[in-house]
Amino acid sequence: MELPVINKISTDIKDLTIYLRSIKKFGKSTLFRDTIIAKYGDPCNGLLAQCGKEKGVKLLDNVNSTRIRSYEDVVELKEYLVHKRLFERDEKGKVVKGKYVPAPHNIKIVCFDTVDELVPFFEAETIRISNIENPGKKVKTINAAMGGYQEGQKYAANMIKDYLEEIVDAGIGVWAIAHTKFKTIKEKGGLEEDGYQQLTSNLVSAYEAAFGDIFDVTLTGVIDRNVEIRGEGDNAKRYATDEVRKLYFRGTTLIDAGGRFADGAVPEYLVFDKGNMGSEFVKTVEEGMEKSKTELSKRPKATAPVKAATTESTPTPTAQEEEVPFAEDDIDDIDTPVTEEASSDYPEDLDGVIRTMFKECKDADLKAKVKAVIAEYGKLNDVDEDGLKKIYDMMK
């Protein structure tokens, strides 16, 4: 096992796995392209992997893309992303197994478009493996593979998880694009007749779990239309009068979506009311990552009571006091000039003046109180203006 470590939330969208689903032509591939440009300014930092028959870049400018048409291509793509190498080919273009050529890149995020077309590659490989392991019972369908009873789908789903995990572990962000459809959702433990319609992906449950359950964020795009009924009785007709494109971050009874963001860190949905949503999407996601951080570092740590000094020398701080993120050597490393006071009651450079005052202070009791105030914010650099004024008033 790996040694336990305290996790620290990144605020870089690259470090999130994003499962993006919507109806066709919502703008999923475009959002990926716009996100790469908004975040990095260079399309080469992203890769749109078009799967199977998916061809979504004919009218998508400035997107770095490739095509994968088989399980062999799937494996080669992973070698390219993770190990920065490609299979060597002979003069006829046939892959020479076990031989590679260097293929450096600077890809930060890869997007599989769409997983509806990616899944069949893993199913084909599962069928091949099943026939090797069971030569006396060869099969042609995923439902019959690995002994049937959906074992073939489960095997393929686990292969997908392992594949994506290896890419993520290499430090590359992963997006997966899928299409949506309404399904009847039945909760485990409910009655047979219980259930409700919800907009989710068009994948079967085993593959939906391979993405929806393991990705950090599941986003669902919908087009919300206002409908007006004109006419009466049998002549009544429904007309769409307006529409709003929405990308849901939080699920509702009708829409399946969600993520590992803290409560309130992201909106329920983002309205797609601009031609280019890249910058706003990156801002929403990365602010959500920042807001998902716990405030443990800003909570005051317990400090031992400071005994009155018996001599005029400065007492040695206790071990518990040193835990407060404002040690004296933090001050000693900074040569801070004393600035003249502005016309207000406080110096213009409060931070620098406080550091100098603290360094020169001989009152152990006062220094302990100042440290306690700073600990409420984390470090001196994190203290806001009101806090700095409070500390200054204490020390002057």
Side-chain angles (χ1 to χ4, degrees):
M1 61 168 278
E2 297 179 358
L3 290 176
V5 295
I6 302 297
N7 184 56
K8 299 295 183 183
I9 294 178
S10 164
T11 55
D12 190 333
I13 192 172
K14 175 184 74 68
D15 296 321
L16 279 186
T17 48
I18 297 178
Y19 185 32
L20 176 60
R21 312 171 305 182
S22 80
I23 61 173
K24 62 182 180 180
K25 304 302 180 286
F26 178 85
K28 301 180 290 294
S29 305
T30 302
L31 178 62
F32 175 73
R33 186 274 311 270
D34 293 343
T35 295
I36 296 299
I37 298 299
K39 177 68 178 178
Y40 302 108
D42 184 351
C44 290
N45 290 135
L47 178 64
L48 186 69
Q50 299 178 91
C51 306
K53 297 180 175 63
E54 185 68 30
K55 298 177 182 178
V57 299
K58 287 186 177 180
L59 294 176
L60 199 59
D61 198 20
N62 287 320
V63 62
N64 186 30
S65 67
T66 186
R67 291 285 303 280
I68 49 179
R69 299 179 175 88
S70 65
Y71 182 75
E72 289 71 21
D73 285 349
V74 170
V75 174
E76 188 168 10
L77 176 62
K78 184 187 68 175
E79 291 293 325
Y80 174 69
L81 292 171
V82 175
H83 302 293
K84 296 189 177 184
R85 62 187 185 182
L86 290 171
F87 290 127
E88 184 177 316
R89 286 173 165 77
D90 59 22
E91 63 278 1
K92 295 182 179 180
K94 187 177 180 181
V95 170
V96 180
K97 292 186 177 181
K99 291 189 177 181
Y100 303 89
V101 293
H105 65 76
N106 195 30
I107 293 169
K108 308 295 185 184
I109 307 175
V110 60
C111 176
F112 292 93
D113 185 12
T114 66
V115 294
D116 314 33
E117 296 284 335
L118 177 67
V119 164
F121 300 146
F122 287 90
E123 288 185 334
E125 179 65 7
T126 298
I127 294 170
R128 188 187 72 84
I129 294 173
S130 179
N131 289 336
I132 292 174
E133 294 181 353
N134 302 280
K137 191 178 179 181
K138 293 191 174 183
V139 299
K140 295 182 178 180
T141 67
I142 192 65
N143 289 333
M146 299 298 172
Y149 301 100
Q150 298 183 333
E151 290 302 315
Q153 292 176 344
K154 293 177 183 176
Y155 188 94
N158 285 329
M159 287 178 63
I160 293 172
K161 292 178 183 178
D162 292 341
Y163 178 84
L164 297 175
E165 183 180 29
E166 190 169 347
I167 296 174
V168 172
D169 287 348
I172 298 171
V174 175
W175 287 31
I177 289 178
H179 292 113
T180 52
K181 67 178 291 186
F182 277 100
K183 293 181 183 178
T184 299
I185 307 299
K186 293 183 178 180
E187 303 289 352
K188 290 183 179 181
L191 299 175
E192 183 63 30
E193 62 270 19
D194 290 340
Y196 55 91
Q197 288 285 303
Q198 190 176 54
L199 187 67
T200 181
S201 87
N202 60 353
L203 300 174
V204 298
S205 58
Y207 302 136
E208 171 64 14
F211 299 99
D213 290 356
I214 68 170
F215 273 45
D216 298 311
V217 183
T218 298
L219 308 177
T220 303
V222 301
I223 300 178
D224 195 359
R225 295 181 174 89
N226 290 327
V227 177
E228 179 182 320
I229 300 177
R230 300 174 185 173
E232 298 180 355
D234 294 340
N235 295 323
K237 294 184 178 180
R238 296 164 60 87
Y239 294 89
T241 60
D242 191 19
E243 66 180 34
V244 179
R245 290 174 181 257
K246 299 177 180 178
L247 185 64
Y248 277 80
F249 284 77
R250 299 292 190 187
T252 68
T253 303
L254 184 65
I255 298 166
D256 177 39
R260 294 172 179 148
F261 292 109
D263 186 35
V266 291
E268 180 180 318
Y269 59 82
L270 187 62
V271 176
F272 271 48
D273 56 356
K274 302 180 182 68
N276 186 327
M277 293 295 297
S279 296
E280 188 166 347
F281 180 72
V282 171
K283 180 174 181 288
T284 300
V285 171
E286 293 190 341
E287 283 185 355
M289 298 171 78
E290 178 65 38
K291 292 176 182 177
S292 296
K293 292 181 178 180
T294 54
E295 298 300 315
L296 183 63
S297 62
K298 293 186 179 180
R299 295 176 186 173
K301 296 181 174 65
T303 57
V306 180
K307 296 181 180 179
T310 55
T311 67
E312 293 185 0
S313 61
T314 304
T316 303
T318 66
Q320 286 172 305
E321 286 178 318
E322 287 300 325
E323 291 180 0
V324 180
F326 186 60
E328 288 200 56
D329 55 2
D330 181 39
I331 300 171
D332 292 338
D333 292 337
I334 302 173
D335 185 13
T336 307
V338 179
T339 59
E340 294 182 2
E341 291 191 4
S343 57
S344 67
D345 294 335
Y346 298 94
E348 183 178 349
D349 182 17
L350 266 177
D351 181 283
V353 172
I354 288 173
R355 289 177 183 273
T356 302
M357 294 172 71
F358 188 92
K359 180 179 179 181
E360 296 175 352
C361 180
K362 303 299 182 182
D363 189 333
D365 237 355
L366 177 58
K367 294 179 77 169
K369 291 177 182 178
V370 170
K371 287 182 178 181
V373 173
I374 294 172
E376 294 177 6
Y377 295 86
K379 293 185 178 180
L380 185 59
N381 290 338
D382 300 324
V383 180
D384 58 24
E385 185 177 357
D386 289 340
L388 291 174
K389 289 179 179 179
K390 179 180 178 181
I391 295 170
Y392 178 79
D393 289 340
M394 292 169 61
M395 301 192 70
K396 71 177 181 179

